[in-house]
């Protein structure tokens, strides 16, 4: 199975929130590269319906091999009672963000969890682990984003960490969910990366300062947003290598993930 073969071989800081739409002069100063949802690789395997932002398994596009340390963003819908049987990984930071339903994770480090919507599990494959992921429901599908980043170094000791939403921050516009140092209760990654969950109400904006030498990727999960003259719909994404202040404005209720990467 080609998908399993690939699984075997692959192992922004200050923020503010406002309800005001940014001015045109500010909003168009940063260059964004748009990745449209309907241009992603798409495969329906029956038990699995999946869309690949970057080249993965049977989908190959030399123009979309990753962004900085970000290597894989797969949006999966898994049928009831099925999933990925035990398979190996190495030298990859792998996390799953549950969109709906549930995901049952088991690995060779002894971890066994059932993750629910909004939760994240992050596995550092390091020098080698095996794991499986199944939809435990017999009647309902499950959906998730599975995301891989390359670690800052190879051959690390495998590890596992999770992030669960804090009810006190449920309405916060931007929440740190993954970081290199685990600050603010975030899951820990072996890479210079800060990853944020973004939730905005219609008309609300956030800004994010991108330092020189960094880049940003924004993956929209639901809703519609406008950023620097670019409009995104669900499943769309944009990237930028420009330093400066990134501004994202919601046209309706929005959820997404924002990556700040060296």
């Amino acid at each position: 199975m080609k998908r399993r073969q690939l699984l075997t071989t692959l192992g922004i800081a200050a923020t503010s929130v406002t309800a005001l739409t940014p001015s045109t002069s500010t909003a168009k100063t940063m260059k964004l590269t748009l990745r449209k949802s309907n241009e992603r690789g798409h495969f329906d395997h029956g038990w699995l319906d999946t869309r690949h932002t970057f080249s993965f398994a049977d989908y190959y596009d030399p123009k979309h091999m990753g962004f900085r340390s970000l290597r894989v963003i797969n949006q999966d819908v898994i049928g009831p009672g099925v999933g990925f049987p035990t398979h190996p990984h190495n030298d990859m930071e792998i996390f799953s963000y549950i969109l709906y339903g549930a995901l049952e994770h088991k690995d060779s480090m002894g971890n066994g969890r059932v993750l629910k919507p909004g939760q994240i599990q992050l596995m550092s494959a390091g020098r080698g682990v095996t794991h499986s992921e199944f939809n435990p429901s017999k009647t309902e599908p499950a959906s998730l984003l599975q995301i891989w980043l390359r670690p800052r170094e190879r051959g690390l000791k495998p590890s596992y960490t999770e992030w669960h939403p804090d009810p006190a921050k449920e309405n916060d516009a931007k929440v740190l969910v993954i970081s290199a140092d685990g600050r603010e209760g975030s899951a820990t990654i072996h890479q210079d990366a800060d990853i944020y969950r973004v939730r905005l109400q219609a008309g609300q904006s956030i800004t994010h300062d991108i330092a020189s030498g960094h880049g940003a990727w924004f993956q929209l999960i639901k809703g519609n947003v406008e950023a620097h003259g670019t409009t995104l719909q669900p499943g769309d994404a944009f990237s930028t290598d420009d330093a400066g202040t990134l501004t994202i404005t919601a046209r309706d209720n929005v959820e997404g993930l924002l990556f700040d990467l060296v």
Side-chain angles (χ1 to χ4, degrees):
M1 180 178 180
K2 293 183 179 179
R3 181 182 179 91
R4 185 182 293 183
Q5 290 171 352
L6 183 75
L7 291 169
T8 302
T9 57
L10 289 177
I12 290 187
T15 181
S16 63
V17 180
T18 177
L20 299 177
T21 301
S23 66
T24 301
S25 60
T26 299
K28 294 186 178 180
T29 56
M30 184 171 287
K31 180 181 177 181
L32 305 183
T33 299
L34 182 63
R35 180 66 164 130
K36 296 289 290 181
S37 175
N38 61 6
E39 295 175 354
R40 296 179 292 179
H42 178 222
F43 298 90
D44 187 347
H45 302 288
W47 66 275
L48 172 70
D49 190 285
T50 182
R51 297 181 185 274
H52 307 319
T53 296
F54 304 119
S55 294
F56 186 89
D58 294 332
Y59 171 63
Y60 175 72
D61 183 343
K63 295 181 179 179
H64 298 99
M65 297 299 295
F67 176 75
R68 294 179 176 252
S69 59
L70 186 56
R71 176 60 187 86
V72 169
I73 302 179
N74 291 345
Q75 185 171 344
D76 294 340
V77 178
I78 304 172
V82 295
F84 302 95
T86 301
H87 56 273
H89 292 281
N90 65 280
D91 293 320
M92 199 66 69
E93 305 290 293
I94 301 169
F95 78 89
S96 297
Y97 183 76
I98 313 306
L99 304 181
Y100 60 80
L103 182 72
E104 183 174 2
H105 168 95
K106 293 182 180 179
D107 63 46
S108 55
M109 294 178 284
N111 299 295
R113 301 284 192 275
V114 175
L115 282 298
K116 299 297 179 66
Q119 297 179 344
I120 288 173
Q121 61 95 355
L122 191 156
M123 184 178 68
S124 178
R127 54 181 175 259
V129 298
T130 61
H131 79 140
S132 63
E133 293 173 306
F134 278 86
N135 176 3
S137 173
K138 302 301 182 184
T139 58
E140 300 297 327
S143 183
L144 65 141
L145 289 177
Q146 184 164 109
I147 298 170
W148 300 6
L149 292 91
R150 293 187 174 91
R152 68 170 69 92
E153 59 182 292
R154 298 172 65 87
L156 296 169
K157 180 181 178 180
S159 60
Y160 179 92
T161 183
E162 292 182 7
W163 178 84
H164 290 191
D166 181 350
K169 297 181 179 180
E170 185 68 17
N171 296 319
D172 286 7
K174 191 173 80 170
V175 176
L176 184 68
V177 297
I178 294 175
S179 68
D181 57 9
R183 68 190 186 277
E184 301 176 23
S186 57
T188 305
I189 194 170
H190 296 100
Q191 181 53 268
D192 297 321
D194 287 339
I195 303 171
Y196 300 86
R197 183 200 70 188
V198 174
R199 285 182 177 172
L200 299 172
Q201 304 298 313
Q204 190 177 26
S205 296
I206 61 165
T207 61
H208 187 88
D209 291 337
I210 305 172
S212 177
H214 287 227
W217 181 282
F218 179 71
Q219 184 71 42
L220 183 61
I221 296 169
K222 65 180 181 181
N224 295 269
V225 302
E226 189 277 336
H228 302 265
T230 298
T231 300
L232 277 72
Q233 298 180 344
D236 291 350
F238 68 72
S239 61
T240 184
D241 289 305
D242 289 354
T245 300
L246 173 67
T247 303
I248 300 172
T249 302
R251 292 187 166 186
D252 49 20
N253 293 346
V254 160
E255 182 172 5
L257 294 177
L258 175 62
F259 299 74
D260 187 329
L261 308 167
V262 294

